[in-house]
Amino acid sequence: MTMDFADKLQSYRKQKGLSQENLAEVVGVSRQAVSKWESGQSYPEMDKMIAISELFHVTVDHLVKDTPSDNREARPQIPGPVQAGWRPYFHYEYKSKKTLFGIPLVHIHVGRGIHVAKGIIAVGNISIGVLSIGILALGGLSIGALAAGLVSLAALAIGLLLGAGGIAAGIVAIGGLALGILTIGGLSIGMFSLGGCAVASHIAIGGYASGHIAIGDAVNGAYTLAIQNDDFGSIRAEQVRQLIQQEYPNLWKPLAERIIGMFN
């Protein structure tokens, strides 16, 4: 006797000792959806079908066609709903009923695979929001492995205003490699740069500094101030002030004072 998908799903579910509610929670759907699958009223979407195949250690082809299971990942059945070593397919989604301009205030969408969260506050594998947290995060304040936004904190961060991370780019960039207007990092490249190796079009301060005004241990520029005995205290604030006033008299005062304030 052949079995269709609905029969196979119900059979495998019972073998695992799972209720319809249990299966729904593991796969990330409602109990009603599982009920419709088992009654033959509907079929799962492809990502759900893959999750089911992984859960029961059978191929998708076996689930949807009249073909035997190859048992390539078959495991002995252990009584009870959970088998030793069994890793459930994780998926979770929450979307708040409250919205702003049609966008959920909170959208959380995480799990194995690609899951996109879109909300004012978005948390997901891929997240898009005013505040976004995810592996890939896009938005106003973005936090993730790869983040882009007004303010970004990530391994690779691209921020319109501020980027902070292993590699950072932005008007203000802080990172191992920092690129921007005002940059701080191991390798710092910008208009105003501070770092182990600082390269700037205007002012560079660092162990190695290259810029129009260069201040550091090894310096290269039109105007240079070399530190003595690895001590930045050997550079006087008044020297720096005179150079800035001479070369950049219209430099934004808070920034100029911040740079000058680094020295005695």
Side-chain angles (χ1 to χ4, degrees), residues 56 84 106 141-142 175 230 238:
F56 297 130
V106 178
L141 172 57
S142 302
D230 296 323
E238 190 56 33

Side-chain angles (χ1 to χ4, degrees), residues 15 17 79 147 157 245:
Q15 286 180 29
Q245 290 177 345

Side-chain angles (χ1 to χ4, degrees), residues 64 70 90 103 118 131 164 204 238-239 256 261:
V64 300
D70 58 11
F90 172 70
I103 302 173
K118 298 179 180 179
L131 169 58
E238 190 56 33
Q239 294 175 281

Side-chain angles (χ1 to χ4, degrees), residues 5 9 12 23 26-29 37 43-64 72-73 86-91 111-115:
F5 170 74
L9 178 61
Y12 284 128
L23 179 58
V26 169
V27 178
V29 296
W37 296 344
Y43 283 87
E45 296 178 354
M46 182 52 67
D47 64 328
K48 308 303 182 188
M49 188 70 79
I50 292 172
I52 292 169
S53 73
E54 291 179 348
L55 174 61
F56 297 130
H57 309 297
V58 296
T59 64
V60 172
D61 190 60
H62 166 69
L63 287 173
V64 300
R72 58 188 174 86
E73 294 186 8
W86 171 55
R87 290 186 177 182
Y89 172 85
F90 172 70
H91 174 262
R112 186 190 303 175
I114 299 175
H115 299 288

Side-chain angles (χ1 to χ4, degrees), residues 57 75 78 82-88:
H57 309 297
R75 301 185 183 184
I78 297 176
V82 180
Q83 297 185 45
W86 171 55
R87 290 186 177 182

Side-chain angles (χ1 to χ4, degrees), residues 98-135:
K98 292 186 177 181
T99 63
L100 182 62
F101 305 114
I103 302 173
L105 291 179
V106 178
H107 188 192
I108 301 172
H109 199 187
V110 295
R112 186 190 303 175
I114 299 175
H115 299 288
V116 180
K118 298 179 180 179
I120 303 302
I121 299 174
V123 180
N125 297 39
I126 299 175
S127 59
I128 303 171
V130 176
L131 169 58
S132 58
I133 301 173
I135 297 173

